[in-house]
Amino acid sequence: MKEDLANLRKEMRLTQQQMADALGMALRAYQSIESGESEYRFIHRLAAERVALMIAADRKEPMLAPSSVRDDAIELVRVGRLTGAPVFQKARTDDGNDKAASAEYQAAGFRAAYGTVGEVVLLASAIDSQLNHVLIQLLHLVESPMLEAVIATLDTVRKIEMLKERSTFIAQTRWQKPVRMYVEKVERVYKWRNIACHTPMIPDEKHGAVFVPTAAAKLLKGLQLNEPVAKRVPYSELEAAIKIGESALAEGMSLIENFQKVNIERKKRFG
């Protein structure tokens, strides 16, 4: 599988550094995967295919995308047209003033906003699951059948606090820094996850959809005196959270792998 990753990178005419940047990984972490030093996981393949899809679209070279990704994209467009989704039909009148078509496009944009919210929630859930394994390795916990199940009962905020506290006892900067960077990204993703899950979203002509605070404290804090509305947050800002979340997942995997090696060596030396 690692040969597939190297071949895909070469087909896209990317250096190892460029590929690592696109995946949100450190160069050394990426090189260890491509060389076979670290395990090439299914999530690495998915991330690489996503990068290939973006580059193929950006360069207007569709054949750069792997066949599996192209097939999925073609099937998505086919299903979109069959279901009559306006965004796939591209049906506009000549003068662009058809109100019915405009309403359909706005509705499609609102549905797309909910899709973005769903992606953020799924990423946050994946990160929460990953946090269990990061904690196990960083706290040097002894493996047991119920260990992960017990840690999973902890609130995400509590897990983050435990990682922050543990990072203060890591003496070497090159080991401490990745942990703190990971925690920072996780916190940012969960901030946006909470906004997406606990703030009502309404249609908006300019942004497609916006989050509107309803709590009194937030309303007063974001109140704009020159306008009769409180500050609203466009849903498109969630896209940054998605990129951060994908990067956090990759960094979390590197942390798990690196501290696994440390723990194995620790066990050899000290039992």
Side-chain angles (χ1 to χ4, degrees), residues 2-13:
K2 63 184 178 63
E3 287 80 7
D4 294 340
L5 180 62
N7 291 334
L8 178 62
R9 175 180 61 78
K10 292 172 183 177
E11 288 174 5
M12 291 189 291
R13 302 187 294 278

Side-chain angles (χ1 to χ4, degrees), residues 135-178:
L135 274 173
I136 289 172
Q137 297 305 323
L138 263 71
L139 298 180
H140 314 301
L141 301 178
V142 178
E143 296 284 351
S144 67
M146 292 297 295
L147 179 60
E148 184 181 351
V150 171
I151 293 178
T153 62
L154 296 174
D155 184 73
T156 304
V157 175
R158 180 64 61 188
K159 296 175 190 177
I160 293 173
E161 290 176 352
M162 292 170 70
L163 281 178
K164 280 184 176 180
E165 184 66 20
R166 177 68 184 93
S167 68
T168 62
F169 294 94
I170 300 176
Q172 296 186 15
T173 304
R174 66 189 184 93
W175 286 88
Q176 183 190 71
K177 186 176 179 181

Side-chain angles (χ1 to χ4, degrees), residues 246-258:
E246 291 171 344
S247 176
L249 280 174
E251 291 180 13
M253 291 178 65
S254 296
L255 285 175
I256 293 170
E257 292 173 358
N258 290 336

Side-chain angles (χ1 to χ4, degrees), residues 4-248:
D4 294 340
L5 180 62
N7 291 334
L8 178 62
R9 175 180 61 78
K10 292 172 183 177
E11 288 174 5
M12 291 189 291
R13 302 187 294 278
L14 297 179
T15 64
Q16 288 186 330
Q17 181 66 67
Q18 289 172 326
M19 189 66 167
D21 291 342
L23 292 171
M25 301 175 63
L27 175 60
R28 182 69 189 89
Y30 174 79
Q31 289 174 331
S32 66
I33 295 172
E34 194 171 292
S35 66
E37 183 181 341
S38 296
E39 183 181 356
Y40 179 40
R41 301 176 184 270
F42 182 64
I43 193 170
H44 293 143
R45 176 183 172 184
L46 292 178
E49 288 180 343
R50 176 73 179 269
V51 168
L53 183 63
M54 290 189 298
I55 290 178
D58 184 59
R59 295 181 181 175
K60 295 180 173 58
E61 298 181 43
M63 297 308 293
L64 280 179
S67 59
S68 58
V69 177
R70 292 200 307 271
D71 292 343
D72 289 342
I74 292 170
E75 180 63 14
L76 178 64
V77 173
R78 187 186 72 81
V79 172
R81 287 178 176 173
L82 285 175
T83 55
V87 69
F88 291 99
Q89 301 298 330
K90 295 185 178 179
R92 288 191 176 96
T93 56
D94 293 336
D95 59 6
N97 293 323
D98 188 341
K99 294 183 178 180
S102 176
E104 288 182 356
Y105 276 97
Q106 186 173 349
F110 194 56
R111 289 194 295 270
Y114 271 103
T116 303
V117 169
E119 193 169 352
V120 170
V121 173
L122 285 173
L123 266 173
S125 298
I127 289 173
D128 182 63
S129 177
Q130 186 185 69
L131 277 170
N132 301 333
H133 300 279
V134 173
L135 274 173
I136 289 172
Q137 297 305 323
L138 263 71
L139 298 180
H140 314 301
L141 301 178
V142 178
E143 296 284 351
S144 67
M146 292 297 295
L147 179 60
E148 184 181 351
V150 171
I151 293 178
T153 62
L154 296 174
D155 184 73
T156 304
V157 175
R158 180 64 61 188
K159 296 175 190 177
I160 293 173
E161 290 176 352
M162 292 170 70
L163 281 178
K164 280 184 176 180
E165 184 66 20
R166 177 68 184 93
S167 68
T168 62
F169 294 94
I170 300 176
Q172 296 186 15
T173 304
R174 66 189 184 93
W175 286 88
Q176 183 190 71
K177 186 176 179 181
V179 176
R180 291 189 170 180
M181 289 177 62
Y182 173 72
V183 170
E184 180 184 345
K185 289 182 178 181
V186 170
E187 284 187 310
R188 291 171 67 184
V189 171
Y190 263 83
K191 174 187 174 183
W192 279 107
R193 181 260 181 199
N194 291 336
I195 290 175
C197 291
H198 302 298
T199 308
M201 186 168 64
I202 63 172
D204 181 82
E205 291 184 4
K206 181 179 179 181
H207 302 288
V210 292
F211 294 104
V212 182
T214 56
K218 290 185 177 180
L219 280 171
L220 291 173
K221 184 178 180 181
L223 186 63
Q224 299 176 7
L225 297 179
N226 59 332
E227 298 179 16
V229 295
K231 182 180 180 182
R232 299 179 174 186
V233 181
Y235 91 92
S236 57
E237 293 189 18
L238 287 178
E239 294 174 0
I242 292 173
K243 292 181 179 179
I244 293 171
E246 291 171 344
S247 176

